[in-house]
């Protein structure tokens, strides 16, 4: 995947100055996902593991909404007619999107406006940072259609972001979490006006993209890996990770810049 010429079929891709912006672009339907867009997003994040041009990613939606989740007619309807093996292939594929987002080294920022529900809420949840507007409404509404709240890693990831009790509230009820509530609970990192949301997300992405990107990737890796480690194992893992980072040129550049009272220039090597 060449970042500056990549042309996906099922979402909009913009690349500028180390930052890729993914726009879910079906505004007339509030940007729902289809079988094809799920798969293409999964493959895109898998390929980002090997992409040295993209240093940070922003995900947003077109037309004032983030995403209405799985398309009712193109996904929900067909699912009611599938066999168990076909259903399991689908649920594993959607889970693979979350795995790909968590396993790519680039920090991912979701810029959420308006409707952010179902699989859209999962994409926001799986991002590293979440920015939103005051009109954002986020709902893990799987129980509203007779499904379990444990979808695409929600029961593992959401409690780690907002706490067990709050996650249970949202996953059992399927109710909408207001933006102010989401920021207070720690789901959203910051709230911005609609006209500045994307620019603020891209500004943060650019800051990360020009930071020590190898070290950022290591940080993301450890945030994921340490979930099921004992404290002693985690401390040892971090000792090894930090020793690896101490061998990078970025670390040496930062030291030399500090000595000279200059701003370090990071190259991710």
């Amino acid at each position: 995947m060449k970042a500056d010429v990549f042309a996906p079929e099922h979402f909009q891709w913009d690349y500028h100055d180390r930052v890729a912006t993914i726009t879910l672009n079906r505004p007339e339907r509030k940007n729902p996902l289809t079988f094809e867009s799920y798969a293409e997003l999964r493959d895109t994040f898998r390929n980002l593991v090997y992409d040295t041009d993209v240093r940070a990613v922003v995900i947003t939606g077109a037309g004032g909404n983030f995403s209405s989740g799985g398309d009712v007619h193109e996904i929900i309807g067909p699912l009611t007619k599938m066999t168990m093996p076909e259903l399991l292939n689908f649920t594993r594929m959607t889970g693979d999107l979350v795995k790909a987002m968590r396993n790519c080294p680039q920090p991912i920022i979701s810029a959420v406006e308006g409707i952010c529900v179902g699989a859209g809420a999962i994409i926001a949840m799986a991002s590293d940072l979440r920015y939103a507007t005051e009109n954002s409404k986020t709902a893990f509404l799987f129980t509203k259609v007779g499904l379990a709240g444990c979808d695409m890693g929600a029961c593992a990831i959401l409690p780690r972001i907002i706490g067990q009790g709050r996650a249970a509230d949202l996953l059992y009820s399927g109710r909408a979490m207001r933006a102010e509530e989401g920021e207070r609970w720690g789901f959203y990192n910051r709230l911005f006006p609609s006209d500045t949301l994307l620019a603020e997300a891209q500004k943060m992405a650019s800051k990360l993209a020009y930071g020590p990107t190898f070290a950022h990737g290591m940080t993301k890796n450890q945030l994921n890996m340490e979930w099921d480690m004992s404290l002693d194992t985690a401390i040892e893992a971090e000792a090894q990770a930090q020793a690896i980072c101490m061998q990078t040129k970025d670390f040496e550049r930062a030291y030399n810049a500090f000595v000279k009272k200059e701003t370090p220039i990071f190259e991710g090597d």
Side-chain angles (χ1 to χ4, degrees):
M1 184 175 74
K2 190 66 176 173
D4 56 351
V5 295
F6 179 51
E9 294 184 41
H10 303 288
F11 53 86
Q12 182 178 321
W13 170 273
D14 297 291
Y15 171 77
H16 176 71
D17 200 19
R18 301 187 178 187
V19 175
T21 300
I22 291 173
T23 304
L24 306 176
N25 194 25
R26 297 178 67 196
E28 71 285 355
R29 302 278 294 278
K30 299 180 181 177
N31 308 313
L33 297 173
T34 64
F35 293 116
E36 293 78 14
S37 60
Y38 267 122
E40 191 167 35
L41 284 167
R42 174 203 61 195
D43 293 344
T44 298
F45 283 106
R46 281 179 174 173
N47 290 333
L48 283 174
V49 173
Y50 310 103
D51 194 316
T52 57
D53 293 331
V54 176
R55 306 292 182 88
V57 180
V58 173
I59 308 178
T60 191
N65 291 292
F66 188 71
S67 175
S68 56
D71 189 286
V72 172
H73 301 293
E74 296 181 46
I75 287 187
I76 308 301
L79 289 178
T80 64
K81 299 176 176 63
M82 287 186 182
T83 64
M84 177 57 74
E86 291 172 326
L87 291 168
L88 193 54
N89 283 338
F90 170 72
T91 54
R92 283 174 172 163
M93 184 264 286
T94 60
D96 282 345
L97 168 57
V98 173
K99 291 179 185 178
M101 291 177 67
R102 300 311 307 156
N103 289 332
C104 78
Q106 295 88 346
I108 302 169
I109 304 173
S110 281
V112 177
E113 183 176 10
I115 297 299
C116 174
V117 301
I122 295 289
I123 289 174
M125 176 196 74
S127 300
D128 298 284
L129 298 171
R130 289 161 294 277
Y131 291 172
T133 63
E134 291 185 353
N135 74 337
S136 301
K137 294 181 180 179
T138 305
F140 299 83
L141 43 65
F142 307 107
T143 56
K144 297 286 189 181
V145 295
L147 296 177
C150 54
D151 197 69
M152 299 170 68
C155 285
I157 300 174
L158 190 61
R160 289 176 167 89
I161 299 173
I162 64 174
Q164 186 83 4
R166 290 166 174 170
D169 173 10
L170 297 181
L171 296 177
Y172 278 123
S173 70
R175 71 171 181 84
M177 175 176 60
R178 302 180 309 278
E180 176 275 330
E181 187 177 34
E183 183 187 34
R184 177 161 46 87
W185 284 5
F187 186 81
Y188 288 118
N189 296 91
R190 293 189 64 184
L191 302 182
F192 294 99
S194 295
D195 58 353
T196 64
L197 172 67
L198 181 57
E200 291 289 350
Q202 290 173 329
K203 182 168 71 174
M204 181 60 177
S206 180
K207 181 178 180 180
L208 293 171
Y210 275 90
T213 52
F214 179 89
H216 289 334
M218 191 69 77
T219 301
K220 181 170 180 174
N221 173 269
Q222 291 300 295
L223 281 168
N224 292 328
M225 295 293 291
E226 291 181 29
W227 280 6
D228 55 0
M229 291 181 183
S230 68
L231 179 58
D232 285 354
T233 303
I235 290 173
E236 174 58 23
E238 292 190 5
Q240 295 181 26
Q242 202 71 300
I244 292 170
C245 289
M246 289 172 181
Q247 289 187 313
T248 64
K249 294 180 182 177
D250 274 347
F251 179 62
E252 185 177 354
R253 289 189 195 99
Y255 167 73
N256 291 332
F258 178 81
V259 170
K260 297 177 182 178
K261 298 183 178 180
E262 298 174 350
T263 300
I265 297 174
F266 295 113
E267 298 293 342
D269 57 352

